[in-house]
Amino acid sequence: MAHPKVVVIGAGIVGTSLADEITSRGWTDVTVLDRGPLFATGGSTSHAPGLVFQTNSSKTMTEFARYTTEKFLALDHPEGWAFNPVGGLEVATTPQRWRDLHRKAGWAQSWGIEGRLLDPAECAALHPLLDADRILGGFHTPTDGLAKALRAAAAQARLATARGARFRAHQEVLGIVQRGGRVAGVETADGIIDADIVVCAAGFWGAELAKQVGLVVPLVPMAHQYAKTGRIAALDGRNTALHEASLPILRHQDQDLYFREHRDRIGIGYYGHKPMPVDLSTLATAGTEMPSMLAFTDEDFAPAWHESKELLPALGDSKVEEGFNGIFSFTPDGFSIMGEHRDLEGFWVAEAVWVTHSAGVAKATAEWIIDGAPQTDVHECDLYRFEDVARSDHFILETSSQAFVEVYDIIHPHQYRTALRGLRTSPFYPRQQQLGAYFFEGGGWERPAWYEANAELAQRLRDQGVPFPERDEWSGDFWSPISIAEARWTRERVAMYDMTPLTRYEIAGSGALELLQRLTTNNLDKSVGSVTYTLMLDENGGVRSDLTVARLAPELFQVGANGPLDFDWFSRHLPDDGSVTLRDITGSTCCIGLWGPVARDLVQPLCSDDLSHQGFKYFRALQTYLGAIPVTMMRVSYVGELGWEIYTTAEYGSALWDLLWTAGQAHEVIAAGRIAFNSLRIEKGYRGWGTDMTAEHLPAAAGLDFAVRMAKDDFVGKKALEQAQPPAKILRSIVFDSPTAVVLGKEPVYVDGACAGYVTSAGYSATIGHSIAYAWLPAAIVPDDAVEVEYLGTRYTAIVHTEPVVDPDMSRIRR
């Protein structure tokens, strides 16, 4: 497609940013449509207060925000600035928030954002309206600031127009024209506009528009309060009409508040009220030029006004003079929504995007459309990241409402949603409840984190001298020392792990092998019964997933994957001739991971086949029976111990658990949870996709080049690997010096006093009695080099270690 025609629906901050990004890459036949006027279209951009705080727990969202600030700072507009870098200040009034600001300062270091923790006096010096006696301290980021959203939109539109783009106001899209499974244009009241690519950037209207093409965009339009005070005497003469703000933008998250200047007044945003989902059908008939601004509800704002005066006493002589309830988009997990419709080629979405991340999202979307993959990993924002359960209207509303409530809450990395729990459970769930399982949640599944039934085991190991280091309050949340006992027992005896939530696909047909060879890096043309670890790459050579593929028959493969994004990727590459079928078999099957040095002693009496090391070798699969239960056994071990993943169909699940549990009593079998599982896999040097590596990382950098066969025929990403330069950073294992050092992930890593990288995942090793972590570090950092990791303001020393830390000769697995 030499000169594709692009239509962007929505001329807000996302649509205008996208037009600029696309035209700057040489695609100049771009038309941007909006139902409202330009550029105060009536959407969220029109009323956005424009506070840009860059630091986020997500590296991706931080990168989007950083790019947005840099781009907006360089924009020209005849009325003045599009971005005012007044800095950002977040203050703490509770010990919990002060601790959280230390965590946030760590993120800033990890992601390369300049920031500094301040004492109360330093905060008050930066923002004189603050009552220093009310706060414990603050976190200051000097490159944060205010975005003038309408100016930024207009400035980018002007740049795009100069390259050939067209912007058309009052053009409501009535339908999407389709031909042969791809978009062909959009229909408006004035006729059809031809298009090869359509991007829906319609903001909170986007979900309704996407329904016209059978697409679920999980977002909820939600009203959020914003008010302005009257004149504040302390601000008299401080600002001019041109430079309306000079104080740092301010967040008081303990009370769900944020503040910014409007010359001699203060704007106040509030998230502390109840969720206010908006019925868009009521907006369609409102007949107003600004449908995204609803009437202000004074009673909801009363607590906010009280707390604002407490923090900023200068407000006491003023009052709230105006306000509105402005509509923004919220999603179930708080991330934006980006990607191409799987069943309608050329139809893209860029939705649920706040001004903070707008230019960054637009850049990534433009790269994705034009180059085939964005430079920034976007799996957290991918349209198809949601499981089926998360695509229902009920789930979207409930979880998006919870996301609104928690927008300024302190969220622990192991704190999972409370709404709509128990939706996906394995057949073992009743047995796990009987054993006192504490459940985490992931992908809708209930996943045991540890079992209270093992408390007695933990005490027994303590009595034997096994160390159980104490944890601080933060790292001790959503954790139990029982997990240490479970991990230790797996190494010493045997344990059962529920692996049912591991995503499983069946890929079958005469073209199955060819498809898998084309999409993955390893050689899968092996004998029936082979099991292969392999990668899927994107066009840039980045690791978009890792897979375990078992060949169960000449034309039948079982694929252990990472989630819905893998199903999406396979679906997009299925041949048109029907030679391959793809099924998600996760819910119809179940799996027990049985691992430990006596695992064979437990299982062999139940099976007539030879399960010896020679009879059933490592990385092989066997379809057999345990007792009367038909199973598929795979001799693989993500925990680094002798054993198998044992699969059966769901109707046999309870019987399989009972069979193994009963047989295991003579061998002191236990059930073990996700925390033990995670610590054991880190000991063995096994990566977790989406945490330790993403599409931003080439296999060699992630330590996975062993899974790449460059000699095989062409596969997706091969050309990029052939042209790749040696990696600047490498994923390394580090072992902490202190037995009591604990980190949770995303902490900055220092070399010679300078931040050089960041932790991905970590766990306490019950085998060596120290915590182990993965960290992305400069390639020049090698094993035995010393590093420091900062956790909540404390630096812990560690040593870069060769991998794997435990059992480097793999003798425990191959016995």
Side-chain angles (χ1 to χ4, degrees), residues 266-285:
I266 292 290
I268 307 170
Y270 184 46
Y271 287 105
H273 55 79
K274 64 182 182 297
M276 301 177 184
V278 176
D279 181 357
L280 293 185
S281 65
T282 63
L283 301 184
T285 58

Side-chain angles (χ1 to χ4, degrees), residues 375-395:
Q375 294 295 318
T376 300
D377 172 66
V378 296
H379 82 272
E380 293 170 315
C381 301
D382 195 296
L383 166 66
Y384 285 100
R385 68 188 183 269
F386 299 98
E387 300 278 355
D388 285 346
V389 67
R391 292 156 48 83
S392 69
D393 289 343
H394 182 63
F395 187 99

Side-chain angles (χ1 to χ4, degrees), residues 329-351:
S329 298
F330 280 78
T331 61
D333 56 10
F335 289 106
S336 300
I337 301 175
M338 307 162 57
E340 184 182 18
H341 195 329
R342 183 163 64 222
D343 301 317
L344 182 59
E345 188 178 354
F347 185 88
W348 293 73
V349 298
E351 297 292 7

Side-chain angles (χ1 to χ4, degrees), residues 426 442 445-448 498-504 561 586 591 674:
S426 79
W445 287 99
E446 297 298 324
R447 308 181 184 213
D498 183 0
M499 302 300 290
T500 302
L502 172 68
T503 301
R504 293 176 292 285
T586 310
C591 177
R674 297 295 300 181

Side-chain angles (χ1 to χ4, degrees), residues 602-664:
L602 190 162
V603 178
Q604 183 63 84
L606 306 176
C607 184
S608 60
D609 284 297
D610 181 6
L611 303 184
S612 69
H613 180 59
Q614 292 302 317
F616 190 174
K617 293 183 178 180
Y618 192 54
F619 266 92
R620 296 293 295 177
L622 174 67
Q623 292 179 301
T624 184
Y625 288 86
L626 296 184
I629 302 171
V631 298
T632 298
M633 300 177 67
M634 296 187 195
R635 191 162 172 210
V636 294
S637 178
Y638 206 46
V639 302
E641 284 294 332
L642 169 67
W644 301 268
E645 291 179 357
I646 305 173
Y647 296 90
T648 190
T649 49
E651 75 266 30
Y652 296 112
S654 294
L656 177 63
W657 179 281
D658 291 344
L659 178 69
L660 294 173
W661 186 258
T662 301

